[in-house]
Amino acid sequence: MSTSGTPRRADALRNRRLALDAATALLAEPGTPLTVETIARRAGLGAATVVRTFGGKDALLDAAVSGLLAPVVQRARDLLAGTESGQALDLFLPELVAFQSAHHSAGDQLGGLNMPTTTALRGDLARVMEEMVEGAQRNGAVRTDVDPAVATSLIGRTALAIARAQPPSQQLVDAYLTVLLQGLRPPT
């Protein structure tokens, strides 16, 4: 269905999928400009078709980024629901770093765009991370002298720093995660 409530034509649905797939693929390609023209060319569509299909670049990139981010947020929720909070944090941080590493370069091009779905998902992720930290504090796995919001911000900024490290190195990723997680542990 379209936003006006009328059924979408099969070619419109196909064009939407092509544009969305192209935008999603380009998000993982460092240095590739995220313009409507680049996305359209990758999708094999005209720029006007892409704009008509999504209403503009902001809506297209919001759909693409939120499509990538939604499973990450769901994974964090699932871990929090099914695993002790400290263990959930230990399991989730490497996954968050891997996600950031795969998509951080696109973040520089997304500033200033109106992306309400992505913004909401980022907020959801921060809340779930904060819940992990709070739960881990209650369980004694994370120090209580660090505010959960501060710890969550530290985790997010560290994940981004790790993702931006050049050249990429698993040894560096492991070292960052070890220092971060050990720093969050209560003093002995």
Side-chain angles (χ1 to χ4, degrees), residues 1-2 6-19 45 49 53:
M1 298 292 265
S2 70
T6 58
R8 292 185 190 251
R9 296 186 342 230
D11 61 331
L13 291 172
R14 180 188 61 83
N15 291 344
R16 180 176 177 77
R17 175 56 33 213
L18 288 170
L45 301 169
T49 299
T53 300

Side-chain angles (χ1 to χ4, degrees), residues 49-75:
T49 299
V50 172
V51 169
R52 187 172 47 255
T53 300
F54 282 91
K57 176 182 172 179
D58 291 15
L60 170 56
L61 289 175
D62 190 25
V65 173
S66 64
L68 291 168
L69 189 55
V72 174
V73 174
Q74 188 59 52
R75 172 71 172 147

Side-chain angles (χ1 to χ4, degrees), residues 70-151:
V72 174
V73 174
Q74 188 59 52
R75 172 71 172 147
R77 286 182 182 135
D78 292 347
L79 281 170
L80 185 59
T83 311
E84 184 275 317
S85 298
Q87 185 180 10
L89 200 57
D90 290 348
L91 292 170
F92 185 66
L93 284 183
E95 294 175 24
L96 179 62
V97 168
F99 176 79
Q100 287 276 23
S101 294
H103 302 289
H104 77 87
S105 64
D108 296 337
Q109 298 183 60
L110 301 176
L113 298 181
N114 180 20
M115 298 176 39
T117 306
T118 298
T119 300
L121 283 167
R122 285 179 177 159
D124 290 348
L125 181 58
R127 280 186 290 284
V128 173
M129 291 292 303
E130 198 166 323
E131 288 177 37
M132 278 185 194
V133 171
E134 289 170 346
Q137 285 177 327
R138 282 190 302 276
N139 296 338
V142 168
R143 57 191 314 142
T144 57
D145 61 335
V146 177
D147 182 86
V150 171

Side-chain angles (χ1 to χ4, degrees), residues 17-42:
R17 175 56 33 213
L18 288 170
L20 192 55
D21 288 349
T24 301
L26 289 171
L27 285 167
E29 293 180 13
T32 303
L34 295 173
T35 64
V36 170
E37 292 76 16
T38 304
I39 294 166
R41 190 170 31 260
R42 174 66 64 93

